[in-house]
Amino acid sequence: MKLMRCVFAAVTLALAAVPALAETDVKFALDWKFEGPSAPYFLALDKGYYKQEGLNVTIDSGPGSVAGIARVAAGTYPIGFFDINSLMKFRDQNPDKKVMAVLMVYDEPPFSIVTLKKTGISKPKDLEGKILGAPAPDGAFAQWKAFVKENGIDAEKVKAENVGFPVREPMLADGKVDAITGFSFSSYFNLRQKGVPADDIAVMLMSKYGLVLYGNAIMVNPDFAKAHPDVVKGFVKATVKGLIDTAKDPKAAIQSVMKRNETADEAIELARLEMALRDNIVTDWVKANGIGDVDPARLAKSIDQVAVTYDFKVKPTAADVFTGEYLPPAADRKM
């Protein structure tokens, strides 16, 4: 017995002398502010899902769903959350920077035309003769030409004005423009915060009017992915868990956002999250196939639609911009 105690004590001392395995630091860039739709990542952080994969993840806000891609390409942030359609254009303009999408989050993008009932705009053709406020770097406005083509709009009859992100919704509320482009869950709730009644706001999701595009995805720096494939797999696995948990209990998940944005309105951020889950994340396709993957045929068709808005030097294939090699098995991605 005494011998066993001595052995046990020796083992205990030996284990205590072994340093804990170091976690890999990962900087992750969001597309925008700490708002409702960012809940899955903060929830995964709070529940220790990233830590379970040996990752010490830092999450930062971003400059928009388009501009942030350059951060991933430069390696400033090895992993980010940005628009896959803009990634297609970025890679075409920077063929040596082969950033890849590895986890599709917005199976249907929040690209939308947002207007007020008093303008009389109830369908795409009604935009003719109206003023459209659209920030030049806006991910939704980037799809304008394809939206015009799919809905038979005479673009010459629509006056598109380049407006800044901060003044976009105020200009619509003040009647200085008749409609705006933007992410549905951003523009809608920004208008609500400006005092515009819910019944006065009309949102036209481009995905309901002919566009088959995908939206924001988790994307990675190619050099980082090559050097650290297990880190990417671990990040994707933990993020999938965060997405599934958020879909199951949005009210609990929103608390992870509120801890980082104490000035936000919890009711609005919860509603913003629930809108994103309903319209963009937990779609019928995702319910059937699980979160994170894409339909290659649909992605290929979406590239054709992007080609309406952008002249590719070399048109990409679906495999050029998205890979499922880092995804967990489909059974682990069911919502």
Side-chain angles (χ1 to χ4, degrees), residues 2-323:
K2 184 176 179 180
L3 177 61
M4 290 180 65
R5 283 200 299 267
C6 290
V7 171
F8 179 77
V11 171
T12 301
L13 286 170
L15 288 174
V18 177
L21 291 175
E23 294 178 349
T24 302
D25 292 335
V26 177
K27 292 179 65 178
F28 173 54
L30 292 173
D31 59 331
W32 197 232
K33 305 171 185 177
F34 293 177
E35 296 181 335
S38 62
Y41 318 107
F42 290 121
L43 183 68
L45 197 63
D46 290 344
K47 285 198 169 187
Y49 292 155
Y50 293 120
K51 187 175 288 290
Q52 288 171 13
E53 299 301 323
L55 309 179
N56 177 35
V57 175
T58 302
I59 303 175
D60 291 333
S61 59
S65 60
V66 178
I69 296 173
R71 292 181 171 187
V72 177
T76 308
Y77 288 88
I79 305 179
F81 175 63
F82 302 109
D83 174 40
I84 194 171
N85 309 289
S86 299
L87 174 62
M88 298 171 192
K89 302 173 189 177
F90 180 88
R91 284 186 46 137
D92 191 61
Q93 296 162 6
N94 304 273
D96 59 324
K97 300 186 184 302
K98 302 187 184 299
V99 177
M100 288 286 287
V102 296
L103 170 65
M104 182 55 61
V105 179
Y106 292 160
D107 182 62
E108 291 191 12
F111 304 146
S112 62
I113 304 293
V114 182
T115 185
L116 303 181
K117 299 287 180 63
K118 64 183 180 183
T119 64
I121 300 171
S122 61
K123 58 184 184 299
K125 282 284 285 183
D126 293 337
L127 289 165
E128 294 177 0
K130 305 294 185 180
I131 300 174
L132 178 69
D138 177 40
F141 183 59
Q143 321 311 325
W144 173 244
K145 288 183 180 179
F147 184 73
V148 164
K149 179 181 178 182
E150 291 295 330
N151 293 281
I153 300 169
D154 186 344
E156 295 295 321
K157 295 180 180 178
V158 182
K159 183 180 180 182
E161 288 191 1
N162 180 15
V163 302
F165 284 114
V167 300
R168 173 176 54 185
E169 286 82 15
M171 288 183 71
L172 177 59
D174 293 340
K176 294 179 180 177
V177 296
D178 301 302
I180 56 176
T181 63
F183 276 24
S184 54
F185 50 70
S186 291
S187 292
Y188 177 86
F189 287 104
N190 288 346
L191 287 168
R192 293 288 290 113
Q193 288 176 309
K194 293 296 179 184
V196 180
D199 291 345
D200 291 346
I201 305 172
V203 177
M204 286 189 284
L205 283 167
M206 292 182 176
S207 61
K208 305 302 182 187
Y209 290 90
L211 296 195
V212 299
L213 306 178
Y214 283 94
N216 278 31
I218 301 297
M219 48 190 67
V220 299
N221 176 281
D223 294 332
F224 182 85
K226 184 177 180 180
H228 307 284
D230 290 340
V231 170
V232 177
K233 286 182 180 179
F235 185 91
V236 168
K237 180 180 178 180
T239 300
V240 167
K241 288 182 179 180
L243 284 160
I244 292 173
D245 285 1
T246 298
K248 288 180 179 177
D249 193 349
K251 289 182 180 179
I254 203 64
Q255 299 308 315
S256 290
V257 175
M258 298 308 299
K259 285 164 57 176
R260 279 99 176 167
N261 188 355
E262 296 179 353
T263 62
D265 184 313
E266 183 174 334
I268 284 181
E269 294 313 321
L270 174 58
R272 197 193 303 270
L273 171 59
E274 290 174 335
M275 179 183 280
L277 288 168
R278 181 190 70 231
D279 294 342
N280 313 118
I281 300 174
V282 191
T283 64
D284 289 341
W285 193 89
V286 167
K287 290 175 184 176
N289 299 278
I291 186 77
D293 207 350
V294 301
D295 174 357
R298 177 185 156 197
L299 182 55
K301 187 176 179 181
S302 77
I303 293 172
D304 291 338
Q305 286 192 328
V306 172
V308 174
T309 68
Y310 175 82
D311 292 326
F312 286 107
K313 297 172 188 173
V314 179
K315 191 175 176 182
T317 65
D320 289 331
V321 294
F322 183 91
T323 177

